[in-house]
Amino acid sequence: MAYKPQYGPGTSKVAENRRKQMNRDIKLEKIRDVTDEDVVLILGHRAPGQAYPTAHPPLAEQGEPDCPIRKIVAPTEGAKAGDRVRYIQFADSMLNAPSQPYQRTYTEMYRYRGIDPGTLSGRQIVECRERDLEQISKDLINTNLFDPARVGIRGATVHGHSLRLAEDGMMFDMLQRCILDKDGIVKYVKDQIGTPIDKKVAVGKPMDEKWLGENTTIFHVLGGNPYRNDAEYIEYIQRIHSLRTKYGYMPKE
Amino acid sequence: MAETSYPQIRIVPARFLTPDTAEVLLNEILSKTGIRRIVINGPRVPETVPYGPARGTPNVIAQRREIEVQGETIKLQVQVGTILMELEDETPIPEIRKACEAVLTNFPFTLQEGRFMRSSMTMTDYAKYGIVEDERILGMVDPKSKTRPIILQGNR
């Protein structure tokens, strides 16, 4: 029988949302339409229209050693062309943001190839070849993994995920890379490291409380989804904890 | 140094305040009599980018501005999240609560009584700051900071 991943335990809405994000058979819901050029501007790694700088010659030119693994694994487009490795980093508010650092890493590992995610408590970075990165970033911004107000694209100075929101509902950002404009649309005025960009990059309207409550992947009493309500999740975590405590990294019962 | 006999209060709005709201709220609160000291607290909004590849470049932010409180100009260095106050006695507390209710209408806030400022120096304070001459700023700011407290003349 073929192995079917279960993705995660839990009977709650949050657990279901987590599984939906991780399961690559379920297409991510497209919500907004940020263009390629906009993504390049927010990332700030190259100017729009500029050729991709390279780290090494294209694979076809440099000649590959005779290696069985290289025969099995097809290179991604970026690796084929010899692109540099670049990154995008997200900070997700604990107040019902649609994705969370660990969740992002799981989701990306299931859905994309040739990536190197790094997970921290308040931010999640994903590194890969530049042209792959732009495609992945576009996916991550345009779909239900992103909310303009409660998710920030922040390369440095990420502080804010665990703080109260501002009066207008935006997550705190000491560099204020994105602002809620008068027309109600969130616009990026700086790239992810905080350098001002030439034009305002619109990333859409903040999602409403109802949508955020329905689509969140964080258990949070203040968000209306207390962890203790999901008995199956707690049972699973307690079992893992107990096995780890009793048997270290050799979980035999 | 804070005398233990002076009551202290802390106002915590559920959201971070914009400079506009902070200006209105502070003007409302500081028009009451009997306030000895006040600290405006919150996460810092620096003037230059502190980390990363853009470190040192000016941090241009539309929202950061100077606010005018009781005729004095205050350069906000934080996004206002908490206001700590030390009072002469407990009489102005109901008025301060009313002022908060009048300004903070879109979201809730809490107003607590307790001890929120340091009343004496700790061992670590001595190690860090040595002898502090002006003890009024203890428990409010870093005594070694070059920016000095703003003194409002009050209305008594």
Side-chain angles (χ1 to χ4, degrees), chain B residues 71-85:
Chain B
E72 291 283 343
T73 307
I74 298 174
K75 199 173 185 188
L76 275 184
Q77 296 183 38
V78 294
Q79 187 154 12
V80 181
T82 310
I83 299 170
L84 307 178
M85 272 187 277

Side-chain angles (χ1 to χ4, degrees), chain A residues 3-7 19-29 107 110-111:
Chain A
Y3 169 70
K4 264 183 87 176
Q6 296 175 26
Y7 299 108
R19 285 192 291 265
K20 268 190 199 162
Q21 288 188 1
M22 284 188 267
N23 186 349
R24 63 176 169 194
D25 296 336
I26 298 176
K27 213 169 168 243
L28 293 172
E29 186 189 342
T107 303
Y110 277 117
R111 286 177 183 266

Side-chain angles (χ1 to χ4, degrees), chain A residues 87 150 156-157 159 163-170 172-176 179 190 193-196 209, chain B residues 12-18 21 43-46 50-54 59-61 63 79 81-82 107:
Chain A
Y87 65 91
R150 301 205 190 178
T157 50
H159 184 53
L163 303 183
R164 282 167 279 168
L165 301 173
E167 264 183 72
D168 54 7
M170 300 289 289
F172 174 77
D173 179 7
M174 67 166 75
L175 304 187
Q176 275 177 11
I179 50 165
K190 296 179 181 178
I193 59 159
T195 314
E209 286 293 338
Chain B
V12 185
R15 295 276 176 111
F16 287 127
L17 306 181
T18 59
T21 317
R44 191 169 153 76
V45 182
Y51 319 102
N59 181 21
V60 186
I61 285 180
Q63 271 200 14
Q79 187 154 12
T82 310
F107 43 85

Side-chain angles (χ1 to χ4, degrees), chain A residues 128-155:
Chain A
C128 62
R129 303 289 188 144
E130 199 163 355
R131 75 187 70 197
D132 303 334
L133 175 75
E134 284 168 15
Q135 282 312 308
I136 293 172
S137 305
K138 204 175 158 192
D139 260 13
L140 296 176
I141 296 170
N142 281 336
T143 56
N144 56 350
L145 292 176
F146 188 80
D147 170 55
R150 301 205 190 178
V151 178
I153 304 167
R154 304 179 181 184

Side-chain angles (χ1 to χ4, degrees), chain B residues 10 23-25 31 36 40 51 57-58 67 73-74 78 84 88-90 98-99 105 129 133-134 136-137 142-143:
Chain B
R10 175 167 72 178
E23 191 172 35
V24 176
L25 180 67
S31 64
R36 276 169 56 86
I40 306 166
Y51 319 102
T57 55
I67 60 172
T73 307
I74 298 174
V78 294
L84 307 178
E88 299 280 354
D89 54 43
E90 286 171 359
K98 261 187 204 159
T105 48
Y129 310 124
E133 282 177 8
D134 185 0
R136 289 173 302 176
I137 61 167
D142 175 2

